[in-house]
Amino acid sequence: MRFFGTRGSIATPGPQTLRYGGNTSCIEVRSKSGTLAILDMGTGAAGLGRELMARGEPLSGHILISHTHWDHIQGIPFFAPLFAPGFEWDIYAPRGIGQSLRQTLAGQMQSIYFPVAIEQLGATIRYHELVEGRLRIGDIDVTTRYLNHPTLTLGYRLEADDVAFVYACDHEPHSRGLATGVGDIFGEDRRHAEFLAGANLVAHDAQYLASEYPRKIGWGHSTIEYAFAVARLAQVEQLALTHHDPIRDDAAIDAIVDTLRSDSLRMAGPHILAAAEGHEVDLSPRTFVAAAKPRFLGEASLVTALVGRSALVAMAKPSRIDELSDFLRADEVHVHRCGIEDAPGLAEREGPMLMLLEDTGDDRAAKACHAIRRLRGGDDLPIVLVTSGDHGASERHAHAGAVDDAFTDILMQPYSPIYARARIRAWLMRAACRWVRPSEPNDEERRLAATRALGLWQTAPEERFDRITRVAAAALDVPIALIALMDRDREWFKSCFGLEIREVHRDDSFCGHAIFQREPLVVSDALLDERFADNPYVTGAPGVRFYAGHPLILGNGCCVGTLAILDIKPRHFDNSGLSVLHDLAQLAIGEIERPKGV
């Protein structure tokens, strides 16, 4: 990986920034196999673009944008490979609420700001809107996590070739007291450290010193001391300080690194470096504890997942309840309002996707929170404590039965409206994602070998399989029937009745869940199922509502795929239907295992 831009907020060229650089954020990352990922497109992207064009051949790559503030996207209009026909780019960024990613990026290229419109870009460009979750680009596994910034912002964890790299810009400590780097790390700050866990290298926002932070609260950036503290807790191998403050010159950065390196040696922390333009880091494998993988996929549905969902606001102050309710309604979320004591009962009746509870300085919010946690599904409900100051974590933890662990997060006043709204949107987007990636079976490698040994993958249609799907569609009165085989990343249809597409990504697959559980899977209405409601084949064409899949388990015990039926309307599927599906699945297994030529 190479740094092409390391400065925060605004490009700062000049004699005082020659060694660490004056361009804003941009990092090039390449896997051993050649997958190209670019993290952020600040002004440093112009130099990277010139290098890529100098190679003289078309290429494809992936651009991961943390958020669309100007210092992270201003290089896009000057990135020459976007203008070159024959090049292909996938651009990823946090999904907003309102305009699309393409519209947002086009905004800075309107004629009043820039002479070239986004429509004049000559490369093939695909836009992807992300939420917190996971995705795969080439041979790189990417995990996304919301950071603490006054707009929806994602950190990216990239894993490939047995190494892990994390990019975390722009991010402010969740607990303001941790800006000094001293104190217990808990709640969302601990979860942030878990996102960094064991990485070979973390490039972390380090714009401020702790002494500067009191004047910058709510601006959405880390202190150098905080970055070091969370990296040390996460047992990171190397920490690269980046997003340097535009007023900080090379000599000041040198002094900071020298101090931190001595602290790191004394406290057994990570190796410290300051990100510098042109600096290249070759990451080598080491033994590390991998970060936990999210259940959800990172790529967002094209439809708004918030419409029709509800949130509960339990407050004592009318002004605060009005303000927070307005933020939620602006995103088309229905708001239930109540007193703090009434919150558990209302939560049980309404099943909200988010709850905001006011800290009144006594134990009422704590009691309500614990009561909700005891409800069915209450453990998964995001509950945010809204408080007028740092909530005294150590004292309250000592006498209130680990209250801090019960709350999901804390929203502290004073806060600006733009900051509060961004935080609320992040909580909403986390809760709104109703699309779960299928898990891998325990015998995945053996299963893959058995699938490939069949010799059926991407072979021509055969009547012996097509006959089964035709009968399945007719006997069970559905428009679509499939015999699906599952490889590592793709689900491919050996036979496909009533559907034009012949393969889907495994992450998008219904069948992957049936293969994992090795039992028939019936989804009566996908829009009401938390695993599938935001699946692109539910929200988009063909609009799947009903699914029933029977695993195809060979004589050697390996599950290679499914016989599945689908409908574009919800339906009930009784035991007689399951019996027919079972019988047809046995016929499919017989054909799969039949020796060639027999």
Side-chain angles (χ1 to χ4, degrees):
M1 54 155 293
R2 283 192 300 166
F3 292 97
F4 280 83
T6 64
R7 191 65 52 175
S9 301
I10 188 170
T12 314
Q16 304 304 312
T17 60
L18 287 177
R19 284 188 289 110
Y20 292 103
N23 280 305
T24 57
S25 300
C26 182
I27 299 175
E28 176 193 21
V29 177
R30 285 188 183 271
S31 69
K32 190 179 297 183
S33 70
T35 299
L36 169 62
I38 300 171
L39 293 154
D40 272 338
M41 295 288 282
T43 57
L48 172 57
R50 288 191 293 270
E51 283 201 17
L52 295 176
M53 292 299 294
R55 297 172 188 175
E57 57 185 32
L59 55 79
S60 60
H62 306 268
I63 297 170
L64 302 168
I65 296 173
S66 63
H67 62 302
T68 54
H69 280 169
W70 274 352
D71 55 325
H72 296 260
I73 64 171
Q74 276 184 310
I76 288 177
F78 301 93
F79 187 66
L82 289 177
F83 292 84
F87 285 57
E88 294 190 19
W89 295 97
D90 289 271
I91 302 180
Y92 308 79
R95 174 186 173 181
I97 299 176
Q99 64 183 9
S100 69
L101 170 60
R102 186 184 185 281
Q103 290 171 324
T104 301
L105 297 180
Q108 69 168 344
M109 297 178 70
Q110 294 179 39
S111 59
I112 55 174
Y113 302 119
F114 196 73
V116 180
I118 200 169
E119 290 78 15
Q120 294 175 261
L121 299 178
T124 298
I125 301 174
R126 293 174 289 268
Y127 298 90
H128 308 266
E129 303 193 12
L130 302 180
V131 292
E132 192 171 273
R134 63 187 303 183
L135 65 149
R136 189 173 176 86
I137 57 173
D139 62 336
I140 301 176
D141 287 316
V142 180
T143 301
T144 61
R145 177 171 172 79
Y146 286 120
L147 302 179
N148 188 16
H149 197 61
T151 190
L152 284 174
T153 302
L154 288 173
Y156 293 102
R157 182 184 177 103
L158 280 63
E159 296 182 5
D161 306 325
D162 297 319
V163 300
F165 166 63
V166 181
Y167 178 69
C169 278
D170 300 18
H171 177 72
E172 182 168 353
H174 290 272
S175 173
R176 294 170 184 171
L178 285 176
T180 62
V182 178
D184 293 334
I185 300 176
F186 58 91
E188 282 297 294
D189 290 302
R190 177 167 285 274
R191 284 186 277 274
H192 179 65
E194 290 168 356
F195 177 62
L196 314 181
N200 299 76
L201 176 66
V202 171
H204 201 287
D205 180 349
Q207 183 155 346
Y208 304 133
L209 291 167
S211 60
E212 300 164 340
Y213 179 69
R215 301 185 299 279
K216 314 289 186 179
I217 290 173
W219 291 24
H221 295 289
S222 289
T223 63
I224 292 160
E225 294 86 347
Y226 171 83
F228 175 72
V230 292
R232 180 172 175 264
L233 176 65
Q235 298 182 36
V236 166
E237 184 178 18
Q238 300 181 81
L239 171 64
L241 309 175
T242 192
H243 210 270
H244 306 308
D245 196 288
I247 66 170
R248 206 164 327 277
D249 60 22
D250 290 339
I253 294 174
D254 285 339
I256 289 167
V257 170
D258 288 343
T259 300
L260 271 187
R261 282 179 176 167
S262 63
D263 290 343
S264 185
L265 289 172
R266 177 171 50 84
M267 302 169 68
H271 173 68
I272 305 295
L273 60 118
E277 285 184 32
H279 185 194
E280 183 172 328
V281 182
D282 186 13
L283 300 181
S284 301
R286 69 161 184 147
T287 301
F288 67 89
V289 178
K293 300 296 183 187
R295 290 189 305 142
F296 299 108
L297 297 171
E299 192 152 356
S301 162
L302 295 178
V303 297
T304 301
L306 304 181
V307 176
R309 310 292 294 276
S310 67
L312 196 158
V313 181
M315 302 280 158
K317 296 182 179 66
S319 60
R320 185 174 289 174
I321 200 170
D322 289 341
E323 177 187 52
L324 296 174
S325 297
D326 288 345
F327 293 152
L328 289 158
R329 292 193 187 102
D331 294 330
E332 302 184 68
V333 174
H334 180 70
V335 179
H336 302 287
R337 300 157 56 123
C338 69
I340 296 170
E341 291 83 357
D342 298 326
L346 191 56
E348 186 172 26
R349 290 195 302 273
E350 299 297 338
M353 66 188 299
L354 172 68
M355 176 175 292
L356 303 177
L357 270 176
E358 184 176 6
D359 180 7
T360 54
D362 49 30
D363 61 354
R364 284 187 292 164
K367 288 181 177 179
C369 181
H370 283 293
I372 293 164
R373 292 295 185 220
R374 290 192 290 269
L375 299 174
R376 182 179 179 181
D379 283 342
D380 295 327
L381 176 65
I383 303 177
V384 178
L385 182 69
V386 182
T387 182
S388 58
D390 204 332
H391 66 314
S394 57
E395 294 84 357
R396 184 166 299 188
H397 185 90
H399 72 262
V403 168
D404 300 304
D405 293 333
F407 288 107
T408 307
D409 201 0
I410 303 148
L411 179 62
M412 285 184 290
Q413 286 190 322
Y415 51 71
S416 67
I418 190 171
Y419 175 81
R421 187 168 185 181
R423 294 292 302 284
I424 288 171
R425 281 182 165 177
W427 295 316
L428 288 172
M429 297 297 272
R430 279 193 187 108
C433 185
R434 297 177 294 162
W435 175 18
V436 179
R437 180 185 189 275
S439 300
E440 290 185 355
N442 292 331
D443 65 341
E444 178 67 0
E445 293 305 319
R446 180 169 173 263
R447 191 197 68 78
L448 289 171
T451 303
R452 293 162 184 166
L454 296 172
L456 294 173
W457 186 259
Q458 293 189 329
T459 54
E462 298 180 57
E463 174 61 20
R464 61 193 179 112
F465 293 108
D466 292 343
R467 184 184 301 118
I468 296 172
T469 54
R470 286 200 306 271
V471 170
L476 297 169
D477 190 26
V478 293
I480 301 169
L482 313 166
I483 292 176
L485 300 177
M486 187 70 73
D487 198 62
R488 188 180 301 277
D489 298 316
R490 309 296 297 178
E491 177 185 29
W492 178 75
F493 307 136
K494 174 59 183 173
S495 180
C496 183
F497 178 87
L499 196 63
E500 292 185 2
I501 59 175
R502 296 305 300 266
E503 67 175 41
V504 300
H505 196 280
R506 184 169 179 168
D507 286 347
D508 304 338
S509 168
F510 283 63
C511 296
H513 294 269
I515 290 171
F516 172 72
Q517 66 186 33
R518 295 173 64 90
E519 293 179 357
L521 171 67
V522 177
V523 181
S524 297
D525 188 348
L527 280 179
L528 301 180
D529 194 303
E530 293 296 312
R531 296 167 295 177
F532 304 109
D534 292 331
N535 184 294
Y537 295 106
V538 175
T539 60
V544 175
R545 295 291 295 277
F546 166 79
Y547 169 89
H550 195 292
L552 301 176
I553 302 176
L554 306 183
N556 61 10
C558 293
C559 185
V560 297
T562 60
L563 172 67
I565 57 172
L566 299 87
D567 204 340
I568 59 174
K569 57 186 179 183
R571 57 184 292 170
H572 175 68
F573 199 55
D574 57 20
N575 288 334
S576 63
L578 272 174
S579 180
V580 172
L581 189 65
H582 169 80
D583 291 343
L584 292 170
Q586 300 314 302
L587 292 176
I589 292 169
E591 292 298 332
I592 288 172
E593 294 192 307
R594 181 155 63 92
K596 292 181 180 179
V598 176

